Amino acid sequence: MPTVDFEEYRSMLLGLAYRLLGSMWDAEDVVQEAWLRWESTDQSEVREPRAFLVTIVSRLALDQLRSARVKREAYTGPWLPEPVLTSQAGPLDTAELRDTVSFATLHLMERLSPPERAAFVLREAFELPYEEISEIVGTSLANARQLHSRAAKRLAAGRDRFQPSDQEHAKLLTRFIEAAAGGDLSALTDLLHEDVVSWSDGGGKVRAALNPILGRDKVLAFFTGLVRRYSGFESHLIDINGEAALMVTMGDDTRVLTFGMRDGRIADVFLVANPDKLGRVQDL
C-alpha cells in the first residue's frame, strides 16, 4: 500500500524540504519526485519507510538547493524565504521543529553551505543520528559532526537565545506598525536595535528596496517614508512559520512583515512583497 504509507509521511517530508529550501513551491516539487521514486520502489524491501523517505527528500533537496543558490545570487534585490501558513509547515510539536521553521532562522540558514544546512536541519529538527546524516550528505561521520557544529555556531551568533513568546511577538508587530503609521519616531527608536537591518524582497516584480537598509536611523526613515507614500494603509495579523506576522496592504501592494530579534530588540525587519511568494497567504 505505497499510497497509504507515503501519505502518512507527506506533511513531515514537506516540512523537511521546506526547511532545506526556504520555498514551499520547490519543496512540493521535491516531495512529488520522492513519491515517484517511492512508487517505483519495491516497498517490501524497505524496512524503515520514514528513514528511506527522509533520505530521498534530503538528497533531492540538497541537489535543488545547490542549483537554487546560483539563481538566488542573480535575484533582483535580497532573496527572502517564501512565507507559509503555520498550518502548512508540517509538524511543529517540538521546540526545535518550530525554531527551524521560523522566518528569521530560515533567513539565517541562507548563509550556510547546503551540507551545513542539511546537517543542521536533520539533526536539530528531525533528530537523525550522525551516522544517517553522513550517509545522506555523502561525507564521513566526523565531518557530519563538524558540519552540524559549524552551522549551529553560525546560527547562534545571529539570534537571541531567548525569543519572545507568540503573544509578545504579536504585540511587538502591532506596536511597530502603529508607531510607523503615526510617525512616532520615539516609539520606533525604542523598538529597534541600533544595528537593525531591513530586508525587502520584491523580486523585480514590485517596487522594493534593492539593497538591505542598515542602521536604526535609515530604517526609521525608510518605514516612516513608506507609510507616508501610500494611501489606504491597512494591516492584520496572520500566523506564518510558527509565529505572528503582519499582512500589510499599502495602496495596491501587499507585503508580509515579520521580525528577527537580538538583545530584546528588533534586529531584522523582513518585508516580502514578491507576489509569487505571497499566493499561499494573500487571501487570508
Side-chain angles (χ1 to χ4, degrees):
M1 300 288 289
T3 302
V4 173
D5 285 344
F6 190 89
E7 292 305 317
E8 179 183 347
Y9 298 111
R10 180 179 290 275
S11 178
M12 179 272 293
L13 295 172
L14 276 172
L16 168 60
Y18 175 66
R19 286 167 174 81
L20 292 175
L21 295 166
S23 164
M24 188 58 80
W25 294 110
D26 292 337
E28 288 176 339
D29 288 344
V30 162
V31 172
Q32 179 61 24
E33 177 62 25
W35 152 247
L36 293 174
R37 296 194 182 192
W38 172 252
E39 192 178 37
S40 63
T41 297
D42 183 355
Q43 285 90 39
S44 65
E45 297 183 358
V46 179
R47 292 193 299 176
E48 297 183 22
R50 182 183 186 276
F52 180 84
L53 291 169
V54 164
T55 297
I56 291 176
V57 167
S58 298
R59 288 176 175 169
L60 288 169
L62 268 171
D63 289 342
Q64 191 161 140
L65 183 59
R66 291 185 178 104
S67 62
R69 284 168 67 90
V70 176
K71 296 177 183 178
R72 291 171 191 178
E73 289 174 359
Y75 192 79
T76 302
W79 187 94
L80 292 177
E82 175 194 352
V84 297
L85 298 176
T86 296
S87 60
Q88 298 175 359
L92 295 177
D93 49 0
T94 68
E96 291 76 15
L97 281 167
R98 184 169 289 270
D99 178 62
T100 52
V101 84
S102 78
F103 203 88
T105 300
L106 287 173
H107 179 252
L108 281 172
M109 285 198 287
E110 287 295 309
R111 304 176 185 178
L112 304 178
S113 69
E116 286 174 341
R117 186 166 183 164
F120 180 79
V121 169
L122 291 169
R123 182 66 176 175
E124 294 288 322
F126 295 90
E127 300 178 333
L128 261 65
Y130 288 112
E131 291 81 1
E132 292 185 26
I133 294 173
S134 66
E135 291 180 5
I136 289 171
V137 177
T139 190
S140 67
L141 177 60
N143 195 44
R145 293 180 184 273
Q146 291 175 353
L147 288 170
H148 172 256
S149 177
R150 285 202 303 267
K153 288 177 181 177
R154 292 183 69 183
L155 294 181
R159 52 184 180 165
D160 261 353
R161 182 178 178 184
F162 301 104
Q163 293 295 317
S165 67
D166 291 346
Q167 294 78 9
E168 291 168 340
H169 194 83
K171 288 180 181 178
L172 192 62
L173 283 161
T174 302
R175 286 171 59 198
F176 177 88
I177 207 69
E178 288 177 348
D184 190 342
L185 295 181
S186 177
L188 278 175
T189 300
D190 290 340
L191 293 172
L192 297 176
H193 194 282
E194 181 180 356
D195 298 321
V196 62
V197 181
S198 175
W199 310 82
S200 299
D201 180 345
K205 304 293 181 69
V206 297
R207 186 175 181 179
L210 294 178
N211 295 294
I213 298 170
L214 310 177
R216 182 190 290 154
D217 291 343
K218 290 183 179 179
V219 172
L220 284 171
F222 174 72
F223 275 94
T224 53
L226 191 65
V227 170
R228 284 197 300 267
R229 186 184 307 138
Y230 290 92
S231 60
F233 178 91
E234 296 179 359
S235 66
H236 64 272
L237 287 167
I238 60 172
D239 191 10
I240 66 160
N241 293 72
E243 59 194 4
L246 279 175
M247 179 72 75
V248 182
T249 302
M250 298 178 175
D252 295 329
D253 295 334
T254 299
R255 293 169 168 81
V256 165
L257 169 70
T258 191
F259 299 140
M261 304 295 296
R262 188 166 70 250
D263 303 328
R265 292 190 173 188
I266 299 168
D268 291 285
V269 183
F270 304 112
L271 272 174
V272 183
N274 185 343
D276 293 344
K277 295 184 178 183
L278 298 179
R280 299 171 192 276
V281 298
Q282 198 162 5
D283 295 332
L284 290 179

